[in-house]
Amino acid sequence: MTSVLRLLRPVSSLAASRSGSAAVEFAIVFPLMLLIFAATVDLGFAYYQKSRIGSAISAASYYAVRNGNSLSSSNADTMRTTLESIIRSTLGSSTDFTVSILINNSTGATEASNYYCVTGYPPTYTSTGSSQTTCSGSLTSGKFVTISVSQQIRPLILSPGLITNVYGLNRSIIARVD
């Protein structure tokens, strides 16, 4: 019996020893902390990008409202090019975003001279011709510029779909310019 106790003595002293427990705790906790840190970086970057896209759309829509009162089919392409350059200069040289600019819900310049009544969501455009008229709800028809920006981000750890759903990296605005 004493020989068995002599053999178990090193095992029991090893079990009572606390040396190395900090290393084991660190090995357990560190991956979890690294995961939380990476997720925080992803969410912070997505929020930063959302803010940049919002600033770019705001700058472009401000320009459209201030300079769109003379919008016609002859200068629609110039307006579209200027708005896109405002957005691209605000967002920088990154190529991972898409810009879409519609004038009176059209990519062509021919619709820019007409006036439209816009109702509902998603918006429905009804042409009133080349002059302003009264729409339903005592509103008058106008000319509208739709600016949309979307960006694809590459997160470190989170699903790109989760970030897009949480932060909505697809932003658009409809601005009445005339």
Side-chain angles (χ1 to χ4, degrees):
M1 177 91 166
T2 33
S3 64
V4 172
L5 288 175
R6 267 188 260 154
L7 289 174
L8 291 177
R9 194 172 295 150
V11 174
S12 66
S13 67
L14 182 63
S17 174
R18 298 284 296 157
S19 64
S21 64
V24 171
E25 290 171 1
F26 179 76
I28 292 170
V29 171
F30 181 71
L32 180 62
M33 294 302 292
L34 190 62
L35 183 72
I36 291 170
F37 177 74
T40 303
V41 168
D42 280 348
L43 292 174
F45 180 71
Y47 184 77
Y48 171 71
Q49 290 301 93
K50 178 183 177 184
S51 176
R52 288 183 63 216
I53 290 171
S55 295
I57 285 180
S58 292
S61 62
Y62 179 77
Y63 180 86
V65 169
R66 297 286 292 172
N67 298 296
N69 57 353
S70 61
L71 185 62
S72 67
S73 56
S74 62
N75 62 5
D77 289 332
T78 304
M79 173 69 87
R80 189 177 285 112
T81 303
T82 303
L83 294 176
E84 186 168 346
S85 69
I86 289 170
I87 290 171
R88 293 197 182 277
S89 67
T90 304
L91 291 176
S93 62
S94 177
T95 59
D96 57 349
F97 59 87
T98 306
V99 178
S100 170
I101 298 170
L102 303 175
I103 297 176
N104 288 335
N105 203 33
S106 174
T107 56
T110 57
E111 301 296 323
S113 294
N114 293 335
Y115 289 87
Y116 288 84
C117 292
V118 177
T119 56
Y121 184 82
T124 303
Y125 290 78
T126 307
S127 178
T128 61
S130 59
S131 61
Q132 287 186 319
T133 61
T134 303
C135 302
S136 64
S138 299
L139 300 173
T140 56
S141 59
K143 296 179 181 180
F144 299 88
V145 174
T146 304
I147 304 168
S148 300
V149 177
S150 63
Q151 182 175 23
Q152 299 298 319
I153 61 172
R154 292 174 221 53
L156 296 172
I157 197 159
L158 296 176
S159 161
L162 173 70
I163 290 178
T164 301
N165 291 337
V166 171
Y167 284 104
L169 296 177
N170 303 319
R171 311 245 350 232
S172 64
I173 189 169
I174 300 174
R176 182 184 171 137
V177 295
D178 188 21

